[in-house]
Amino acid sequence: MILETIEQRYKSLSKQQKLLATYILRNPKDILNLTSKELGEKSGVSTATVVRFAQQLDLDSFSDLKISIASQLSSGKVIVDTVIEKDDTSKIMSEKLEQVYDSSIQKSLAMINENDLNKAVELLNEATHVYLLGVGTSGLIAYDLYHKLNRYGIKTFYETDAHMNLEFLTNATKDDVVVAISYSGKTREVSIGSEYAKEHHIPVIAITREDTPLFSSSDICLTIPDNERTIRVAAIASKISTMYITDLLFISVMQLRYGEMKESAIRTNHLINKLKEK
């Protein structure tokens, strides 16, 4: 879809091209009735920039760009601009958030490489221990996965203190696996841990965007979409995309260990239920 393509390429665009891309993403229907000159005037760029922009999207002309947008609009698969505006009503906010959820999951699903996913699941299933790396929002996702895996009998290590997390990692062996989570792929606390793991022949599963340092240094990378375009609900979008992948890993491993994990869940629930007894 052409609008998703523009979103994915947004960060690599020039300042003028970003102005144009922002206008198109916010007003896709309006583009159909504009000439390249009129679009340039409305978005604050030159006509030449409009033409070159279409060509950068592997289209022959601005007319082809309009045709692609019209095709997507007619299919009903249209992204809603999710920039939060001051005068947004509760209904509009709800619709924007719904679009963020739907779009993030659809984009993440489209990026899944089944072969890489299966390899990652196999590594997790066979690992003696799992070590998780992640800070900030990625840390919250790592913490969620940490609890899920431990709850179902998979010995997993994660600490919100990055220093302690790296201390844990020094005990890892080649029979373990590291899951490194970072949207930017540049988080120092994560990259140091993944580099250490690689040096000591410990398999690394990265969850990050394409073309990042973490992507390049991992054994297996499960990519997430680049969906932080402007000041918008983007932190939510990247969180949803990443958690979609970690949850997919979890349920895939749970499927392989169905009987074993079921027994572990029963034991855990039985113990926790004692807290509810009077």
Side-chain angles (χ1 to χ4, degrees), residues 132-253:
L132 303 178
L133 300 173
V135 296
T137 300
S138 295
L140 295 175
I141 297 168
Y143 192 60
D144 175 77
L145 182 59
Y146 160 74
H147 277 288
K148 284 188 172 107
L149 293 176
N150 274 308
R151 183 181 181 90
Y152 287 91
I154 298 178
K155 188 64 176 178
T156 306
F157 294 91
Y158 178 73
E159 173 56 55
T160 53
D161 184 308
H163 291 182
M164 291 186 67
N165 220 23
L166 292 177
E167 287 181 20
F168 291 159
L169 191 56
T170 60
N171 294 314
T173 72
K174 60 183 178 60
D175 296 320
D176 301 322
V177 65
V178 172
V179 179
I181 306 172
S182 172
Y183 175 79
S184 70
K186 301 176 182 178
T187 308
R188 186 166 175 77
E189 293 87 344
V190 175
S191 61
I192 289 175
S194 61
E195 288 166 7
Y196 172 87
K198 288 283 287 183
E199 290 170 4
H200 291 80
H201 309 291
I202 305 163
V204 177
I205 300 170
I207 301 175
T208 187
R209 295 177 296 119
E210 291 180 327
D211 302 323
T212 66
L214 182 58
F215 177 96
S216 302
S217 65
S218 61
D219 294 290
I220 299 172
C221 188
L222 303 176
T223 55
I224 52 178
D226 185 350
N227 47 20
E228 295 195 16
R229 175 166 57 86
T230 54
I231 301 175
R232 47 193 283 147
V233 216
I236 297 176
S238 58
K239 181 186 70 176
I240 293 166
S241 296
T242 306
M243 187 165 282
Y244 174 78
I245 297 299
T246 57
D247 280 347
L248 183 57
L249 285 173
F250 170 70
I251 62 174
S252 298
V253 174

Side-chain angles (χ1 to χ4, degrees), residues 103-113 223 225 244:
S103 178
S104 298
I105 291 174
Q106 289 300 320
K107 290 176 185 177
S108 299
L109 177 61
M111 295 185 73
I112 289 175
N113 180 303
T223 55
Y244 174 78

Side-chain angles (χ1 to χ4, degrees), residues 49-62 65:
T49 297
V50 174
V51 175
R52 286 196 298 268
F53 182 76
Q55 293 171 343
Q56 277 194 270
L57 295 173
D58 302 318
L59 300 170
D60 292 330
S61 65
F62 175 61
L65 174 60

